[in-house]
Amino acid sequence: MEADIERCEAAYLRAHAGVPVSHLRFGINVKGVAMSMHALEVVGPPGAPNIVMLHGTASAGASFARTFAALSRTHTVIALDLPGFGRSHVDGVAGGLECLVEAIEASRRALGIYRATWIGHSFGAYLCALYAADYPAQVDRLVLLSPAGIFPTLGATGAYWATVFKCSLPNAGRWLGGLGTRASMLAS
């Protein structure tokens, strides 16, 4: 099955990335559970800032391939396969949002990234928001694309902002209102 996933991903990247893509493999441990992680990297200009991308449910980092060429003109782009998705594997049972956020932080450290712009789609956007609430020093900007679970309590305004929501972290509390804290996001 791993070979099938690898073949499909390679074909998709050839068709849509438009730039050379490197595969990063690294191990992390979250709460005693070993995880074999995979990420795609497109290196930008020397000294370029980083963008870390988190995919939605039932997807993988390769789903961002169509954005790689444009984003890598000014940034180094890393599209992470979340634990249990794409080519990342979990050896055992690790669950819950807290474990996913800790896996994202462990991945950031393993990849040697200090600060980045975080882009998330759907469930990945929700995880980006949780990550930013827990690790604001590592977040330069936050881009939430069709964020799942963040805006439903905002009614019609939420439907508008859920299409594409972009903010810099110092303004996140203003834009998200009471939803800007980890505890309030988990409660909604």
Side-chain angles (χ1 to χ4, degrees):
M1 183 157 141
E2 178 72 21
D4 291 337
I5 292 171
E6 199 171 315
R7 266 193 309 280
C8 288
E9 180 184 74
Y12 188 80
L13 290 172
R14 274 193 310 277
H16 301 294
V19 291
V21 178
S22 299
H23 295 267
L24 307 176
R25 297 291 243 160
F26 54 96
I28 60 172
N29 190 298
V30 176
K31 298 187 183 225
V33 176
M35 299 181 190
S36 173
M37 300 298 292
H38 175 261
L40 300 171
E41 180 183 49
V42 180
V43 177
N50 295 303
I51 289 176
V52 178
M53 305 180 92
L54 301 180
H55 60 81
T57 304
S59 190
S63 65
F64 291 109
R66 291 174 188 256
T67 68
F68 290 170
L71 293 175
S72 66
R73 287 186 200 122
T74 57
H75 290 77
T76 291
V77 179
I78 296 145
L80 184 66
D81 286 350
L82 292 168
F85 294 94
R87 294 168 65 188
S88 290
H89 304 283
V90 178
D91 299 330
V93 177
L97 294 171
E98 184 177 317
C99 285
L100 287 171
V101 171
E102 291 306 314
I104 293 164
E105 171 58 9
S107 296
R108 181 200 61 79
R109 287 192 315 265
L111 293 169
I113 299 167
Y114 172 68
R115 195 167 167 84
T117 292
W118 293 79
I119 299 175
H121 173 252
S122 189
F123 184 60
Y126 186 67
L127 291 174
C128 279
L130 291 176
Y131 180 84
D134 283 357
Y135 299 98
Q138 280 68 51
V139 179
D140 183 35
R141 288 192 167 85
L142 187 60
V143 181
L144 309 178
L145 306 170
S146 300
I150 296 176
F151 295 98
T153 59
L154 298 179
T157 304
Y160 171 78
W161 284 108
T163 305
V164 175
F165 181 83
K166 179 179 178 179
C167 66
S168 60
L169 201 54
N171 294 322
R174 188 183 87 212
W175 287 107
L176 294 173
L179 300 175
T181 64
R182 186 176 206 278
S184 62
M185 284 188 281
L186 291 173
S188 57

